[in-house]
Amino acid sequence: MKRNILVICAFTAMMVASCCGQKPAKAVFNNAVDSVSYSYAVARSNGFVNYLVNQMGVDTTYMKDFVKGFMEAAKAGDSPAKKAYYAGLEIGSSEIGDVFPQISASLFGEDSEKTLNVDNYISGFLAGALNDFSIMTMDQAGAMTDSLAQAIMAQYKYAENKQAGADFLAAKAKEDGVIALESGLLYEVIKKGNGAVPTETDNVKVKYAGTLIDGTEFDSSEDGIEFPVMGVIKGWQEILQIMPVGSEWKVYIPSELAYGAQDNGTIQPFSTLIFDMELLEIVKK
């Protein structure tokens, strides 16, 4: 039995060398250490081709090149230069092969024609790795990533929200009783109030319920809340300054007068908002 195992192992080694056009050292089996060295490696390679294909995107047509790279790395020994070189190969492959497309997909959603600039990505990564902050500091990079990435992601990933809101407001503006303001804000008078109209310096108390255009409620206040007129979203600022105390209005606010590109959980970027508002009072200071 031992003889058969050794014959099989030797045959496998020859097949690898033959099919890949490489000449790794011929396996020898003079003792138990030799045998376990080989068997251990064979066992380690179980399922490895599937890993190369499915996890690393390797085309098995090019296994000859895989063997060449594997042997170069394996024979690098303790050379610091070689270790650095192969680390660069591995990290470069991971960053551009895996991370880069993932980031692009997170920003641009299903728009397959849009992607990050790969040359700029490589340049920026290496600048950071080499502590070259002549173009941009690490803090600046973090701040810019947060602001620009959010805006780009909202523009592409949530473009459907903007279009749905525009279509909804266009249809709503044609309905009887709906009043359109120059800013794009719409409202309906449910109950006419006869009290004073707030100014931008006033504090007010408002009872309200807010929903998305699909009817999802995201916020409400049954008892009313107090706040400064200028301390809320632009749509509320505008409507409150034409709304008499005692009024109950239904208000339709386009995204640019609400939260714009911001992601507020239930309120996704570019969401049009609907509010049932009742102006209870102007709060005296």
Side-chain angles (χ1 to χ4, degrees):
M1 179 65 71
K2 180 177 179 181
R3 177 181 176 82
N4 289 339
I5 292 176
L6 298 185
V7 170
I8 292 171
C9 290
F11 175 75
T12 303
M14 287 188 291
M15 286 297 293
V16 170
S18 175
C19 73
C20 299
Q22 301 298 310
K23 293 183 178 179
K26 184 178 180 180
V28 294
F29 301 95
N30 296 321
N31 51 49
V33 172
D34 290 343
S35 296
V36 78
S37 297
Y38 193 88
S39 65
Y40 213 130
V42 171
R44 281 276 297 156
S45 69
N46 184 30
F48 186 66
V49 171
N50 288 335
Y51 175 81
L52 286 177
V53 173
N54 299 320
Q55 299 299 319
M56 302 189 72
V58 172
D59 183 341
T60 54
T61 304
Y62 300 95
M63 288 302 287
K64 175 180 177 180
D65 299 279
F66 162 76
V67 172
K68 179 180 178 182
F70 180 91
M71 291 190 64
E72 285 185 9
K75 297 296 185 179
D78 294 328
S79 168
K82 285 288 187 179
K83 285 184 178 179
Y85 174 74
Y86 291 117
L89 287 178
E90 181 177 351
I91 294 172
S93 176
S94 175
E95 282 293 319
I96 303 306
D98 299 326
V99 179
F100 182 84
Q102 289 173 12
I103 296 175
S104 290
S106 72
L107 291 177
F108 302 111
E110 297 180 357
D111 191 341
S112 59
E113 296 183 359
K114 292 291 183 181
T115 182
L116 291 172
N117 182 320
V118 67
D119 291 331
N120 273 24
Y121 186 93
I122 292 170
S123 180
F125 187 93
L126 293 178
L130 298 173
N131 291 319
D132 177 4
F133 302 114
S134 57
I135 294 178
M136 187 182 299
T137 67
M138 192 64 76
D139 288 342
Q140 289 171 335
M144 184 173 291
T145 297
D146 290 341
S147 60
L148 292 184
Q150 185 179 57
I152 291 172
M153 183 169 62
Q155 180 181 354
Y156 289 94
K157 191 173 182 178
Y158 299 105
E160 67 275 11
N161 289 348
K162 195 168 189 176
Q163 187 60 53
D167 294 342
F168 174 84
L169 292 171
K172 183 61 65 175
K174 298 176 182 178
E175 296 182 4
D176 292 340
V178 175
I179 301 168
L181 300 179
E182 188 175 344
S183 65
L185 188 149
L186 309 176
Y187 72 95
E188 295 179 74
V189 176
I190 308 302
K191 175 184 174 183
K192 186 177 181 180
N194 297 310
V197 177
T199 66
E200 64 180 17
T201 60
D202 287 327
N203 282 22
V204 294
K205 185 174 183 180
V206 177
K207 178 180 177 180
Y208 70 93
T211 60
L212 305 176
I213 61 175
D214 66 0
T216 301
E217 183 174 297
F218 57 82
D219 195 11
S220 65
S221 175
E222 288 294 328
D223 299 323
I225 59 170
E226 297 181 13
F227 53 85
V229 169
M230 301 304 289
V232 286
I233 58 175
K234 291 181 179 179
W236 273 43
Q237 294 175 21
E238 181 176 4
I239 205 69
L240 286 169
Q241 293 182 74
I242 61 172
M243 186 178 190
V245 171
S247 297
E248 293 182 29
W249 292 1
K250 196 174 192 73
V251 184
Y252 306 91
I253 303 179
S255 63
E256 59 268 23
L257 298 178
Y259 295 101
Q262 295 181 40
D263 191 337
N264 290 281
T266 303
I267 305 175
Q268 293 183 348
F270 297 121
S271 292
T272 292
L273 306 182
I274 304 169
F275 287 96
D276 291 298
M277 300 175 63
E278 180 180 358
L279 179 53
L280 301 176
E281 63 177 301
I282 298 174
V283 180
K284 301 300 180 182
K285 296 180 181 179

